[in-house]
Amino acid sequence: MTKIPLSRRRFVQASAAAGATAAVAGATAPYVYADGDTLRVRNYSDIQALDPAYTLSAVDSDVQRVLFPSLIEFKQDDTWDWQLASAESIEQVDDTHINFTLRPGMGWTNGFGAVTADDVKFSFERIADPEMQSPYAEDWSALDHVEVTGDLTGTIVLTEPYAPLWTTTLPSVSGQIVSRKAVEGLEGKRFEATPPCVSGPYDIANWMPSQKLVLARIDGWAGGVTPDFATIEMLPISDEQAAEVGFLAGELDFTTVPVTSIPQLEADPPLNSTMVIKPPLKYVWVGINEDNPQFTDVRVRQAVQYAINVDQILEAAYFGLAAPATGIIPPGLVGHRAASLVPNAGDPDMARDLLEQAGMGGGFSCRIDALNKSTYLAACQVIQANLADVGIEAEINVHDPGVWWTMGDQAANPNYNDLQIMYNRFSSNPDPGWYTMWFTPEQVGVWNWERWDNTEFQALHRKALITMDPAVRQDMYVEMQNMMEESGCYRFITHELTASLFSNNIVPALAADGTMYWKYFKKA
């Protein structure tokens, strides 16, 4: 095995529970604890926003899936098919009407009563409401209203056909249901990391920020599954190598591991363990903030694009195991491009010419910001060398997750426009609309950290959402990615790999990209 300079003592100090415990959320729920009946999983950061309308990361989504009901969810296999979750039945009767019936007997914790069709109405319409300013409003852009026809029955009414409804909206975070009674009573009708109530197979039993989140099984939950594990402990460990050491030390049952460890783990797998590699829906790119004074000239941004050698990044940071990206949309989805406009190896001579044309032939200094992760640091060091080759001196700054995921948010960070070059990665869902939606003008200052403001792109994005012909959508999304690259704001890198390592004492439940469905994890 790879020798990593991190002892078990250091791992335990960094990730085990310590100090005073946080207040128990939903303490009235009938929890079932059992010694040795705990699933221990690693995630790359701590929770930040568990409100489905304001989710900040895939980590939040992992936790939300066991706290809140949804009508449907993705199957835990290698397809992107869906299955019933908290709906007893659901049917699209025509292009704009979907009838649903909830499972009977589901209730909210903390005395907020039964889960009803009115909660569904409130949840979906709340995300769609422009006044709520949910970054996920696009998922419900075609929603007219939800008609409540009974305590457990209703109809989702759309204004027009909506292609991603079944592939991203309903089975993802935007399809999760919250309690109207509980959330309407909150200031701003929203919450962050402490839900006022839940209705899932688990509730939050204890949260020690940056150390551990403990989820406890709710006895008698009527949402369609009884989990095997009485408790789940989620340890936020940003570094995958540290998580790998934790697994080998017996501190974790499940973790992802860095791509750099894959060859060693395949050649010499740890005893009583299994590694599974999945093609993720993630996408990694270099973004350039066009509003930063250093990069307002498109020729300067394009010079950075041509200076970057993607092949070298993949060799140095991903050991040549991850394939180069041709855009934000990965292979296998509608909209995947055959090739990038800028060669994978770049073109330093072209970069120098562009800098000369922009009056920057003498070079300049700038900064690269990234999440504090060893793979990303290695990638940034390659980019730093590539830029130096054309006369650009770049400083690298890495940030912990709690800081990183708010850096481009102008509501949270007054210095948002200090961002210049960013090495970034987003998670996604299996519809191309969930890739392009984050780069519209509406997302400037929210998730569009490049601050690229292109109304033509936005119009094409919206048209593609209501286009039902896959061949037509294919051309639209290829054109949109061409527009992104031509702006000079984006250099596409890879879609990575998701390598999961788990104990043979458990049977994990993973979606096609390796997303974890903890409630379906089983004891072997």
Side-chain angles (χ1 to χ4, degrees):
M1 296 301 298
T2 304
K3 293 183 179 179
I4 305 170
L6 180 71
S7 67
R8 175 172 176 165
R9 178 181 296 276
R10 285 184 58 201
F11 169 80
V12 173
Q13 288 173 341
S15 60
T21 60
V24 175
T28 59
Y31 298 123
V32 178
Y33 290 96
D35 292 339
D37 197 15
T38 298
L39 173 67
R40 302 161 303 166
V41 298
R42 171 261 178 186
N43 231 323
Y44 63 83
S45 73
D46 203 355
I47 57 172
Q48 299 178 77
L50 294 182
D51 188 330
Y54 302 97
T55 303
L56 287 177
S57 71
V59 175
D60 294 334
S61 298
D62 290 340
V63 177
Q64 288 163 338
R65 278 191 294 274
V66 299
L67 300 182
F68 302 111
S70 59
L71 298 177
I72 64 173
E73 63 191 4
F74 292 119
K75 289 184 176 180
Q76 298 82 57
D77 58 21
D78 290 332
T79 73
W80 283 111
D81 296 336
W82 58 266
Q83 64 189 18
L84 292 173
S86 295
E88 188 174 68
S89 65
I90 189 168
E91 178 186 12
Q92 181 151 3
V93 294
D94 58 38
D95 284 346
T96 57
H97 292 81
I98 300 94
N99 293 338
F100 66 87
T101 301
L102 291 169
R103 294 179 185 269
M106 292 189 299
W108 298 105
T109 58
N110 297 335
F112 284 102
V115 178
T116 68
D118 186 60
D119 292 325
V120 177
K121 175 182 177 67
F122 171 75
S123 302
F124 297 172
E125 293 180 1
R126 170 173 168 260
I127 292 177
D129 184 356
E131 291 190 4
M132 295 304 298
Q133 297 184 345
S134 167
Y136 302 96
E138 188 74 65
D139 284 346
W140 286 112
S141 59
L143 180 67
D144 185 272
H145 68 283
V146 177
E147 180 181 350
V148 175
T149 58
D151 287 346
L152 301 179
T153 60
T155 301
I156 301 168
V157 182
L158 307 179
T159 58
E160 56 194 347
Y162 188 68
L165 182 71
W166 296 93
T167 54
T168 60
T169 301
L170 286 173
S172 73
V173 62
S174 296
Q176 289 175 343
I177 304 161
V178 298
S179 163
R180 176 193 287 273
K181 183 178 179 182
V183 176
E184 277 195 328
L186 301 175
E187 182 179 355
K189 298 181 182 180
R190 59 181 292 179
F191 57 92
E192 294 184 358
T194 306
C197 63
V198 303
S199 180
Y202 290 90
D203 197 355
I204 297 175
N206 199 353
W207 179 39
M208 291 166 281
S210 301
Q211 297 180 57
K212 180 164 64 173
L213 175 72
V214 180
L215 303 169
R217 187 173 63 204
I218 297 177
D219 190 25
W221 182 67
V225 61
T226 300
D228 266 17
F229 292 95
T231 58
I232 300 171
E233 292 184 357
M234 190 201 81
L235 301 179
I237 307 169
S238 60
D239 188 85
E240 286 181 327
Q241 288 185 330
E244 181 183 343
V245 171
F247 179 88
L248 298 176
E251 302 292 340
L252 293 168
D253 300 305
F254 185 99
T255 184
T256 55
V257 295
V259 66
T260 53
S261 294
I262 291 176
Q264 291 274 1
L265 291 171
E266 287 182 327
D268 184 20
L271 292 175
N272 194 36
S273 68
T274 299
M275 182 172 66
V276 172
I277 299 174
K278 297 269 192 176
L281 297 178
K282 303 180 183 74
Y283 51 107
V284 179
W285 78 99
V286 173
I288 305 170
N289 176 10
E290 71 172 11
D291 279 357
N292 184 276
Q294 199 79 281
F295 293 100
T296 54
D297 191 322
V298 65
R299 294 169 296 185
V300 177
R301 301 194 300 271
Q302 290 172 340
V304 173
Q305 286 179 316
Y306 278 95
I308 294 173
N309 189 318
V310 173
D311 293 335
Q312 290 179 358
I313 293 172
L314 297 181
E315 186 62 34
Y318 299 91
F319 277 41
L321 296 173
T326 60
I328 53 176
I329 301 173
L333 295 188
V334 169
H336 174 68
R337 290 196 306 174
S340 299
L341 303 179
V342 179
N344 287 341
D347 187 335
D349 290 336
M350 174 67 79
R352 296 185 191 99
D353 287 345
L354 286 164
L355 289 174
E356 287 287 349
Q357 294 171 29
M360 302 290 283
F364 61 93
S365 299
C366 64
R367 189 180 68 250
I368 305 170
D369 287 283
L371 183 67
N372 188 7
K373 185 175 177 180
S374 57
T375 300
Y376 298 168
L377 177 58
C380 288
Q381 289 169 338
V382 173
I383 296 168
Q384 184 182 48
N386 293 158
L387 295 178
D389 186 43
V390 301
I392 301 173
E393 182 180 347
E395 173 192 354
I396 299 171
N397 288 338
V398 295
H399 308 271
D400 290 335
V403 174
W404 171 251
W405 292 114
T406 61
M407 288 196 66
D409 183 350
Q410 63 189 51
N413 180 17
N415 299 316
Y416 63 88
N417 212 34
D418 289 347
L419 287 172
Q420 294 180 324
I421 300 175
M422 300 150 276
Y423 194 85
N424 210 346
R425 183 194 75 174
F426 278 2
S427 302
S428 195
N429 278 305
D431 186 275
W434 235 77
Y435 289 81
T436 54
M437 67 184 289
W438 311 112
F439 304 99
T440 63
E442 294 170 338
Q443 291 290 334
V444 169
V446 185
W447 289 115
N448 181 350
W449 294 1
E450 295 77 19
R451 304 188 67 81
W452 181 53
D453 190 345
N454 188 304
T455 55
E456 183 183 356
F457 178 92
Q458 178 166 283
L460 192 57
H461 164 75
R462 289 177 175 171
K463 185 176 180 181
L465 293 176
I466 62 173
T467 299
M468 306 305 286
D469 186 332
V472 177
R473 294 187 87 206
Q474 169 72 24
D475 293 342
M476 289 177 170
Y477 286 107
V478 167
E479 183 179 351
M480 278 186 268
Q481 290 168 97
N482 290 344
M483 293 164 67
M484 293 176 70
E485 195 168 7
E486 289 164 354
S487 75
C489 291
Y490 305 93
R491 181 68 158 126
F492 307 118
I493 306 299
T494 184
H495 298 286
E496 297 190 326
L497 295 170
T498 297
S500 300
L501 185 65
F502 56 90
S503 165
N504 288 343
N505 294 324
I506 68 170
V507 180
L510 308 175
D513 66 338
T515 296
M516 298 174 286
Y517 280 75
W518 297 332
K519 63 183 177 181
Y520 294 117
F521 275 51
K522 299 291 184 184
K523 301 171 187 174

